[in-house]
Amino acid sequence: MEEREATMSSWSPEGSQSPRVLDPHLSRILFLLLLIVAPSVQEVTSNPEACQVYQSSNGSSVSCSPPAKLPRQLPADTVMLSVEFFNLTQLPPETLQGVANLQELHLSSNGLETLSDKLLLPVPQLKVLDLTLNALTRLPPGLFQGSAALHTLVLNQNQLGALETSWLQGLKALRHLDLSGNCLRTLPPGLLANLTDLRVLNLGNNQLETLPPDLLRGPLQLEWLYLEGNRLQALEGGLLEPQPNLSYLFLSGNRLATVAASAFQGLKQLDMLDLSNNSLSTVPRGLWASVGQRGAARDMKEGFDVSGNPWNCDQSLEDFYQWLVDNRDKMFFRNSTCCVEPKAMRGQTLLGAALAHVRLTAGVEMGRISLAEHCTPGN
């Protein structure tokens, strides 16, 4: 973290950063230096009705939360504004007038139902917009017409039931889009077509049953994809193929019963795969051909999770068995990833079944590993 020379304004009861414990002697030295180099610093006072203002060489950071009252006018050099935990249902279009250098706007935990399409026009340098925990059901087209610098947009836990491509127009620099925790059932074609620098896409914890085939054909730099907690029943081939740089893929807590054999084709950078808590009993041959197997160009750095699925540990998993054995050191919850069928193998670990199969068919000595003979409940 960069060191910053800072002073507190007279109407800020305390700084916005968490205090750190300092050595008593060092603390005294710093205090004496502060008196020498900044004699004009005013004494910190506790005023519960005042917003906190933290001043630095980059500009002012303003943080307001109840019981503070919202200021009528913000410092002209404001670069960060946080207005959180108020019961705001809307903001006047002129709210951000006079703070042209604003770079971060945090409006989480309010009751915002609508936004003016003119709200962000006065702040063309805005880089971060956080609207978590509001009551937005839609965004006005044109909201981001002057937001070419915005790289992080968080709309987590609102009430969005649908999206329109026009809502995201103008976001040329967007790298992080969080739409998780809404009520999305479908996504429109071409939603991300112009977001060519997108690195993180979070669609988790919605109600998505299917995904448009062209969903990921716009952004070419995607590294993180969150799809957990939806109602997806199938992962189709071709969906992920446009994203060769994808490193983290989260699909847990869906209803996946089928995964196309080509679903992971081309994902040679994948470091984390979470398929836990779905309805997978089997997977097609060839699914794992490019994903972290022995002899591939690279291995997974983080690992994979296939627990919480009703695995049918029969011969149909032969291809998967070999992949599991080759990548067993990267397997999460291997002692609680269980066989459900056939009845004779119920309660055994999936990895144990894989090891037994590989030993039997290939006569390969797999060595000793720490593995319970029977599944342990839970993860």
Side-chain angles (χ1 to χ4, degrees):
M1 182 179 293
E2 296 182 359
E3 296 182 0
R4 298 186 292 182
E5 181 179 344
T7 60
M8 300 293 296
S9 80
S10 60
W11 56 301
S12 302
E14 58 187 5
S16 61
Q17 296 182 349
S18 301
R20 298 181 180 180
V21 178
L22 297 177
D23 178 88
H25 299 291
L26 179 59
S27 179
R28 180 174 177 80
I29 293 173
L30 291 175
F31 177 71
L32 292 174
L33 286 173
L34 183 62
L35 292 178
I36 294 172
V37 302
S40 61
V41 175
Q42 300 186 27
E43 181 180 357
V44 175
T45 59
S46 296
N47 182 357
E49 294 188 354
C51 294
Q52 299 175 5
V53 175
Y54 184 87
Q55 297 171 326
S56 75
S57 58
N58 296 326
S60 297
S61 296
V62 181
S63 179
C64 301
S65 58
K69 295 181 179 179
L70 297 177
R72 294 182 179 179
Q73 186 173 3
L74 295 166
D77 66 343
T78 298
V79 292
M80 192 283 287
L81 173 61
S82 174
V83 178
E84 301 177 314
F85 304 102
F86 289 91
N87 292 321
L88 301 174
T89 58
Q90 57 183 352
L91 292 171
E94 65 276 6
T95 298
L96 302 177
Q97 290 287 350
V99 287
N101 294 323
L102 190 69
Q103 297 182 23
E104 294 189 29
L105 178 58
H106 300 269
L107 296 169
S108 70
S109 303
N110 287 294
L112 292 171
E113 298 174 355
T114 60
L115 297 174
S116 167
D117 60 354
K118 305 293 193 299
L119 178 66
L120 303 180
L121 287 179
V123 287
Q125 297 186 49
L126 191 68
K127 297 179 180 179
V128 177
L129 176 58
D130 182 5
L131 289 159
T132 298
L133 276 169
N134 279 285
L136 295 170
T137 58
R138 59 179 290 108
L139 299 178
L143 175 64
F144 302 115
Q145 58 186 304
S147 300
L150 195 74
H151 63 65
T152 299
L153 173 59
V154 181
L155 287 158
N156 172 252
Q157 298 184 71
N158 276 271
Q159 297 177 22
L160 299 173
L163 297 176
E164 297 180 17
T165 55
S166 61
W167 296 355
L168 302 180
Q169 289 180 358
L171 295 174
K172 301 177 181 179
L174 197 67
R175 296 167 65 95
H176 186 139
L177 176 59
D178 187 347
L179 292 161
S180 62
N182 281 278
C183 309
L184 298 174
R185 295 179 180 274
T186 60
L187 299 174
L191 176 66
L192 310 175
N194 297 316
L195 306 183
T196 55
D197 203 29
L198 196 65
R199 308 298 172 91
V200 180
L201 175 60
N202 193 339
L203 292 165
N205 298 305
N206 279 284
Q207 300 172 25
L208 296 170
E209 297 181 0
T210 60
L211 299 172
D214 69 345
L215 176 65
L216 303 179
R217 290 181 190 166
L220 300 177
Q221 309 295 328
L222 203 64
E223 298 173 3
W224 297 71
L225 178 57
Y226 297 86
L227 291 166
E228 74 278 8
N230 281 285
R231 301 175 181 178
L232 300 174
Q233 299 179 37
L235 185 61
E236 304 292 345
L239 176 71
L240 304 172
E241 190 173 358
Q243 300 304 322
N245 296 318
L246 192 66
S247 299
Y248 295 84
L249 177 57
F250 301 93
L251 286 157
S252 65
N254 278 279
R255 302 173 182 176
L256 290 174
T258 61
V259 177
S262 61
F264 303 144
Q265 185 175 332
L267 299 186
K268 300 184 184 299
Q269 303 297 321
L270 201 63
D271 285 326
M272 172 67 195
L273 173 62
D274 189 354
L275 283 166
S276 63
N277 300 308
N278 277 285
S279 300
L280 294 170
S281 60
T282 188
V283 287
R285 187 175 184 84
L287 176 65
W288 313 96
S290 62
V291 184
Q293 72 175 33
R294 184 174 57 186
R298 63 191 296 278
D299 293 328
M300 282 187 179
K301 293 181 179 178
E302 303 298 336
F304 65 95
D305 187 358
V306 292
S307 63
N309 286 283
W311 292 110
N312 185 354
C313 299
D314 62 11
Q315 298 298 318
S316 67
L317 290 182
E318 182 176 6
D319 180 56
F320 188 29
Y321 284 154
Q322 183 63 60
W323 188 88
L324 282 173
V325 171
D326 290 344
N327 293 276
R328 61 187 183 273
D329 292 338
K330 297 295 185 179
M331 184 178 183
F332 295 112
F333 308 118
R334 60 190 187 186
N335 288 338
S336 57
T337 303
C338 311
C339 298
V340 174
E341 298 289 344
K343 186 176 181 180
M345 299 187 67
R346 185 174 301 171
Q348 294 188 31
T349 63
L350 176 63
L351 182 55
L355 284 163
H357 177 83
V358 170
R359 287 189 181 117
L360 180 63
T361 58
V364 177
E365 177 57 47
M366 303 311 303
R368 296 175 62 86
I369 65 170
S370 175
L371 179 67
E373 291 184 4
H374 299 283
C375 269
T376 54
N379 287 349

